[in-house]
Amino acid sequence: MLSEFKLAPSILSADFSDLKGALNICDEGGADWIHVDVMDNQFVPNLTIGPPVVKSLRKNTEKFIDVHMMVINPENLVEPFARAGADNITFHIEATDNPDEVIDLIRGTGKMVGISLKPSTPFSEIKPYLDKVDLVLVMSVEPGFGGQGYIEGSTARIMEIKKYLKDNCLERVQIQVDGGIKLHNANEVISAGGDILVAGSEVFGSENPQKVIKDFYANAKSTVSI
Ligand code: DX5
Ligand code: ZN
């Protein structure tokens, strides 16, 4: 059996005219977190969700709301997302000149703090901040869109980060992996050290999304790790 992991379905691939339905799917499937992709059409070439939508989600679910900010000047949005009801707020290292300030702002709201890096950003860029965050979001696709293919080199990167965290007594920092996660590669990602898996199109692009969520957990349980 593989180690415990959390599944965070990304509502980016859900029907935006029926977000309550998406929350129900996550409930029925037994998902752990709800992953919310925030895009500003500047940091990434797409435009999605802001604090008012998170506020509505908050009214309709007890689940942990995980906000992934793909925006420049993330410091401006920390307080609004915290007030809207986010439980974790993740920002991108590439999006700010002052990561310490963003981390302190998120920490000040009492929410969990996440730091993310694009596939091409060296891991060394986030090392100075790891002792101040709760999770590292490893992008396994170029941020901006759902439905892309998993970048194979991501598995080695997850292993490298996991080892670094262990060697530096930072095992409390969780690794979240986002992009191209499917039923067929989930176990590879978990074995490499992924603690929280984000899955968008695999869940919401399916005819039976509740079953896909359940299958993620069942597959991991049925796998014997060596
Ligand atoms: C991409 C987003 C992802 C996206 C994942 O920028 O951060 O969360 O929704 O979608 P899939 O699982 O389809 O790659
Ligand atoms: Zn995301």
Side-chain angles (χ1 to χ4, degrees):
M1 192 168 126
L2 289 169
S3 61
E4 287 292 311
F5 75 101
K6 290 189 172 69
L7 185 70
S10 164
I11 58 168
L12 181 64
S13 291
D15 176 356
F16 273 23
S17 71
D18 184 18
L19 289 178
K20 202 167 186 167
L23 294 175
N24 289 340
I25 286 167
C26 291
D27 267 339
E28 288 160 22
D32 296 288
W33 289 9
I34 309 290
H35 185 82
V36 179
D37 287 305
V38 175
M39 304 185 187
D40 66 350
N41 196 31
Q42 294 193 66
F43 182 69
V44 289
N46 200 355
L47 186 64
T48 58
I49 289 170
V53 176
V54 169
K55 192 175 172 191
S56 297
L57 294 172
R58 179 76 290 160
K59 282 189 197 147
N60 287 282
T61 185
E62 301 283 308
K63 283 199 189 295
F64 188 101
I65 296 182
D66 172 32
V67 168
H68 175 192
M69 294 195 296
M70 286 160 274
V71 302
I72 58 164
N73 303 325
E75 48 281 346
N76 297 339
L77 285 169
V78 168
E79 187 62 39
F81 277 117
R83 250 185 288 121
D87 294 299
N88 174 73
I89 302 178
T90 293
F91 71 98
H92 269 263
I93 187 72
E94 307 88 355
T96 176
D97 293 329
N98 199 344
D100 281 309
E101 183 197 348
V102 183
I103 291 169
D104 291 347
L105 275 172
I106 302 172
R107 190 63 75 203
T109 66
K111 310 298 183 179
M112 265 178 69
V113 182
I115 191 166
S116 185
L117 72 176
K118 292 182 183 182
S120 56
T121 301
F123 170 44
S124 56
E125 303 263 319
I126 62 166
K127 279 184 185 167
Y129 310 103
L130 291 175
D131 62 343
K132 295 179 69 182
V133 303
D134 300 302
L135 73 80
V136 174
L137 194 176
V138 177
M139 286 305 305
S140 40
V141 296
E142 214 40 65
F145 299 92
Q148 304 177 74
Y150 180 81
I151 297 173
E152 284 307 325
S154 310
T155 302
R157 166 171 276 210
I158 297 161
M159 291 167 83
E160 180 194 3
I161 298 176
K162 195 72 173 179
K163 182 172 186 315
Y164 180 88
L165 293 172
K166 190 167 180 228
D167 292 349
N168 289 275
C169 299
L170 288 167
E171 281 157 307
R172 57 164 196 85
V173 178
Q174 299 181 68
I175 298 180
Q176 182 176 39
V177 187
D178 184 6
I181 304 286
K182 311 281 177 192
L183 282 166
H184 73 79
N185 62 13
N187 288 350
E188 172 185 330
V189 172
I190 298 166
S191 299
D195 301 298
I196 306 150
L197 272 54
V198 176
S201 52
E202 183 78 329
V203 171
F204 291 106
S206 148
E207 290 286 303
N208 190 343
Q210 293 92 332
K211 181 173 184 302
V212 173
I213 294 171
K214 288 180 186 158
D215 285 348
F216 268 101
Y217 295 109
N219 280 5
K221 277 210 178 74
S222 65
T223 303
V224 179
S225 58
I226 309 156

